[in-house]
Amino acid sequence: MIVLKGISKTYASVAALRDVNLSIPDGSIYGIIGRSGAGKSTLLRIMSLLETPDSGEVYYDAERVDTLRGRELLERRRKMGMIFQNFNLLGSRNAAANIAYPLEIAGLHKKVIDQRVDELLELVDIKDKRRARLRELSGGQKQRVAIARALAATPQALFCDEATSSLDPQTTRSILSLIRDLQQRLKITVILITHQMEVIREICHDVAVLDEGTIVEQGTVASVFEAPQTQAARELIHA
Ligand SMILES: Nc1ncnc2c1ncn2[C@@H]1O[C@H](COP(=O)(O)OP(=O)(O)OP(=O)(O)O)[C@@H](O)[C@H]1O
Ligand SMILES: [Mg+2]
């Protein structure tokens, strides 16, 4: 369970998050929606410990994690995978070497890394692209490389920030079905930000609606989408 208690974050004069409380059960696929600037990416960065809140607390199960520093923080971050809209891959490295990167940083032996990279390529179904340069890969294949890299250190949570937003509808569906499949096989928790409502309908169990830094609505996708209670949610869902 990932628990946020009273999280606030302000940049200069912008209140990006205000008193956010959220609990994400293990093994769920949790969607976060909200208009541009609502604070979604900020929330994801705080949850994944890339950023510290001004106030509030972040817990992974019983452990408070927002106060971790140094080595403990690095080790905790290794237990989280992240994927983005623009993939964030290293252009100088081929597919396999991108996936190997976090394992190299973790200081594993080459033989162990090679074996793990093989498993990961198989897991995301691009075994034949092992040596491909990035420019030889489609968007969907690049996102598969990014997913494999995110999963390299067997994280307990996978954070997705607009991971399918630059993909066409068919490729989006194939990446979503991969994410759903991986969630079930690896028993990870997936936290997913998107402006694509069909993505939420397709794979999320629960959803939270952020508006101007505040969670204005949360619940099962069925309940929120069938009967949105706030103007902010209605605008997103019926847009
Ligand atoms: N590093 C930063 N420095 C200054 N302001 C920031 C920073 N990061 C975010 N903000 C501000 O905080 C608010 C929330 O930004 P955030 O990126 O979390 O929104 P978002 O919901 O992810 O939007 P989008 O859908 O456009 O990605 C915005 O007003 C943004 O300008
Ligand atoms: Mg964002």
Side-chain angles (χ1 to χ4, degrees):
M1 177 97 103
I2 303 173
V3 178
L4 303 179
K5 288 189 188 168
I7 297 290
S8 296
K9 179 80 183 178
T10 299
Y11 296 106
S13 60
V14 181
L17 295 174
R18 306 174 221 221
D19 192 24
V20 169
N21 295 290
L22 189 65
S23 295
I24 300 184
D26 287 339
S28 68
I29 304 187
Y30 204 103
I32 298 172
I33 57 176
R35 68 179 94 155
S36 185
K40 306 180 297 295
S41 296
T42 305
L43 187 61
L44 210 69
R45 287 199 302 272
I46 288 174
M47 237 189 274
S48 59
L49 309 184
L50 291 174
E51 209 158 344
T52 46
D54 296 337
S55 57
E57 297 157 21
V58 182
Y59 292 86
Y60 276 71
D61 302 319
E63 188 190 3
R64 183 164 177 191
V65 292
D66 60 286
T67 46
L68 297 177
R69 295 291 177 268
R71 193 188 169 79
E72 282 179 331
L73 176 62
L74 288 178
E75 270 167 24
R76 188 35 95 154
R77 272 197 202 137
R78 235 174 251 153
K79 295 276 128 207
M80 301 166 193
M82 290 209 95
I83 55 172
F84 305 92
Q85 177 169 7
N86 57 3
F87 319 121
N88 283 14
L89 296 168
L90 299 166
S92 59
R93 287 175 166 238
N94 66 20
N98 264 284
I99 299 168
Y101 186 66
L103 302 171
E104 290 170 14
I105 303 263
L108 298 185
H109 288 293
K110 189 173 179 319
K111 226 175 149 181
V112 176
I113 294 178
D114 285 348
Q115 197 180 350
R116 179 79 182 129
V117 168
D118 275 342
E119 283 170 20
L120 288 158
L121 284 162
E122 174 118 39
L123 193 65
V124 299
D125 205 18
I126 47 167
K127 243 191 152 172
D128 52 327
K129 301 294 178 192
R130 198 174 208 295
R131 288 174 214 292
R133 319 290 315 176
L134 291 191
R135 61 174 175 274
E136 297 161 355
L137 299 177
S138 68
Q141 289 163 343
K142 280 185 204 155
Q143 199 57 290
R144 283 172 190 266
V145 172
I147 291 170
R149 181 182 60 177
L151 296 176
T154 57
Q156 70 183 81
L158 177 67
F159 296 91
C160 313
D161 195 344
E162 299 283 4
T164 53
S165 299
S166 63
L167 305 174
D168 64 52
Q170 196 185 340
T171 311
T172 292
R173 276 196 296 278
S174 83
I175 293 293
L176 292 180
S177 101
L178 174 66
I179 290 175
R180 183 170 32 214
D181 187 47
L182 291 172
Q183 189 277 322
Q184 282 168 2
R185 274 208 271 172
L186 308 175
K187 308 279 178 240
I188 50 177
T189 304
V190 177
I191 298 98
L192 191 151
I193 288 178
T194 182
H195 68 263
Q196 299 168 294
M197 295 304 129
E198 65 275 20
V199 167
I200 302 283
R201 283 184 213 274
E202 178 114 7
I203 66 164
C204 292
H205 308 133
D206 296 286
V207 65
V209 183
L210 257 186
D211 191 43
E212 296 184 355
T214 307
I215 294 195
V216 293
E217 216 160 315
Q218 67 188 96
T220 64
V221 171
S223 65
V224 173
F225 275 54
E226 268 166 39
Q229 302 294 309
T230 57
Q231 183 64 19
R234 279 192 291 273
E235 276 173 16
L236 289 165
I237 292 161
H238 300 302

